[in-house]
Amino acid sequence: MKRDFLHITDFSSDEIREFLEIATDIKARLKARATEAPFSGQTLAMIFAKPSARTRISFETGFFRLGGHAVYLSPQDIEIGKREAVKDVARVVSRYNDMLMARLFDHAHLLELARHASIPVINGLTDYNHPCQIMADLFTIKERLGRISDLRIVYVGDGNNVVHSWLRLAARLPLHFTCACPQNYQPDAETVRLARAAGLSVVEISHDPFSAVRKADVIYTDVWASMGKKHELKERIRHFEGFQVNTALMAATGKDTIFMHCLPAQRGLEVSDSVMESPASVVFDQAENRMHAQNAIMLKLAGKV
Ligand code: CP
Ligand code: NVA
């Protein structure tokens, strides 16, 4: 049976820990230029319905450095959901390629692709979630803080796709996770319920960033208007007043805290320039670790480890 990587909760706690171990190993081997070519002769199809820098570069580079070839399909190529049936795209891509990564608007389209593809499908972000990002973030936290337990993670900003993946991680690993967001920008209630129902983590929703960040090990933020919502930015800037991660908010944790952002960042909106450039910021480690975490995911799905 093929496996897909569509949500963090598609994998057990042990499997999530194993991804981190594989990522550590493959990162060290890539740095030492000591990798073999496990994907030699193979192709990865990458369907993009939205723009990307990190996701495209990290998947394309990662698959290439492991010996394979990645095929980039732009929003104009596939036109998912428009040009032909999603289930037809799934079967056609499966006839040519060994693996499929897709970045789409509609999460239901991703589920449909996975259902009809005979090859492993990886979620490169949908309107609902962004699980590869959270695997890279967890890996970065492990590298920086030396642990993935006993962590107080405070996300400040829009209750969006990135938050949904944090919530699903909280259903697999014990975390103290707080989402500090404006009243009208809360994460999906069903996903909050799922995270709490697993009974592993403390999951809180707050509307007061300054009290939420107290004792935080990690402060995380993301853009106030995600892809597909950019036209709302002006209105959102009004609603997100007071939710910027700046030097004062970082200081309010009362301890050493790292700053994380999935990027791209809108400096001066959700995060100040000073925090982005501060020693607390690990955003470029996160970006690099996208490649290592995804390499681990691809190796595992392909049964190469
Ligand atoms: N963090 C992330 O997914 O970046 P891109 O949108 O540039 O791929
Ligand atoms: N929430 C952002 C993440 C970008 C990587 C978006 O969906 O645009």
Side-chain angles (χ1 to χ4, degrees):
M1 263 287 278
K2 65 129 180 170
R3 303 262 322 257
D4 303 306
F5 188 87
L6 307 179
H7 317 90
I8 295 283
T9 43
D10 297 344
F11 294 84
S12 68
S13 314
D14 284 347
E15 285 172 321
I16 291 167
R17 290 193 175 89
E18 192 193 345
F19 280 133
L20 298 180
E21 278 165 30
I22 303 167
T24 305
D25 178 61
I26 197 69
K27 179 173 181 176
R29 285 200 281 136
L30 275 183
K31 297 259 180 214
R33 307 246 159 214
T35 42
E36 284 143 32
F39 291 126
S40 172
Q42 297 204 353
T43 57
L44 165 73
M46 307 189 298
I47 300 179
F48 282 92
K50 296 182 179 186
S52 167
R54 280 141 291 267
T55 303
R56 177 180 177 183
I57 300 168
S58 58
F59 269 103
E60 190 163 330
T61 308
F63 200 71
F64 172 76
R65 291 191 64 186
L66 296 177
H69 172 76
V71 181
Y72 170 70
L73 296 150
S74 79
Q76 286 73 42
D77 292 317
I78 299 273
E79 294 191 300
I80 197 111
K82 257 165 90 185
R83 193 159 174 266
E84 59 188 315
V86 174
K87 59 186 177 186
D88 292 351
V89 173
R91 285 172 289 182
V92 169
V93 170
S94 300
R95 294 289 179 109
Y96 299 121
N97 303 111
D98 301 281
M99 211 175 291
L100 167 62
M101 190 284 299
R103 163 168 288 196
L104 307 177
F105 287 91
D106 189 345
H107 193 67
H109 283 163
L110 183 80
L111 300 181
E112 199 178 343
L113 270 183
R115 218 169 28 250
H116 293 279
S118 57
I119 56 175
V121 176
I122 300 174
N123 181 349
L125 178 148
T126 66
D127 285 347
Y128 174 64
N129 67 348
H130 197 4
C132 288
Q133 181 68 51
I134 265 46
M135 282 307 303
D137 297 339
L138 187 64
F139 182 46
T140 306
I141 290 172
K142 191 178 175 204
E143 280 186 337
R144 280 288 174 147
L145 304 181
R147 65 181 201 281
I148 54 166
S149 57
D150 197 23
L151 287 172
R152 196 177 273 264
I153 295 165
V154 182
Y155 176 99
V156 180
D158 183 24
N160 62 16
N161 43 8
V162 168
V163 177
H164 297 152
S165 286
W166 273 113
L167 288 167
R168 282 177 177 262
L169 183 68
R172 288 290 178 269
L173 296 180
L175 301 172
H176 191 133
F177 180 76
T178 305
C179 174
C181 55
Q183 190 76 39
N184 293 334
Y185 296 92
Q186 302 196 36
D188 170 52
E190 175 54 27
T191 308
V192 174
R193 196 201 55 74
L194 173 150
R196 287 182 174 145
L200 280 176
S201 296
V202 178
V203 174
E204 294 175 329
I205 306 294
S206 158
H207 305 303
D208 176 356
F210 273 88
S211 70
V213 299
R214 230 174 294 141
K215 295 194 184 141
D217 298 297
V218 175
I219 293 186
Y220 197 119
T221 192
D222 183 15
V223 288
W224 289 340
S226 285
M227 291 178 275
K229 301 261 188 242
K230 297 291 181 201
H231 58 283
E232 295 178 9
L233 183 60
K234 223 169 147 192
E235 180 194 342
R236 284 174 174 247
I237 288 173
R238 276 193 293 116
H239 291 137
F240 282 85
E241 202 190 324
F243 284 82
Q244 183 186 76
V245 180
N246 50 33
T247 308
L249 193 69
M250 289 298 291
T253 65
K255 62 185 288 188
D256 268 349
T257 303
I258 59 169
F259 169 71
M260 302 185 82
H261 193 311
C262 55
L263 304 180
Q266 288 214 275
R267 290 169 185 245
L269 293 183
E270 77 274 4
V271 58
S272 69
D273 208 48
S274 57
V275 169
M276 280 289 284
E277 298 298 336
S278 70
S281 172
V282 302
V283 299
F284 301 112
D285 289 345
Q286 287 176 263
E288 178 186 340
N289 283 336
R290 286 292 302 278
M291 182 171 81
H292 305 302
Q294 290 158 192
N295 282 350
I297 291 164
M298 292 192 290
L299 287 168
K300 174 100 174 128
L301 293 183
K304 303 277 183 192
V305 283

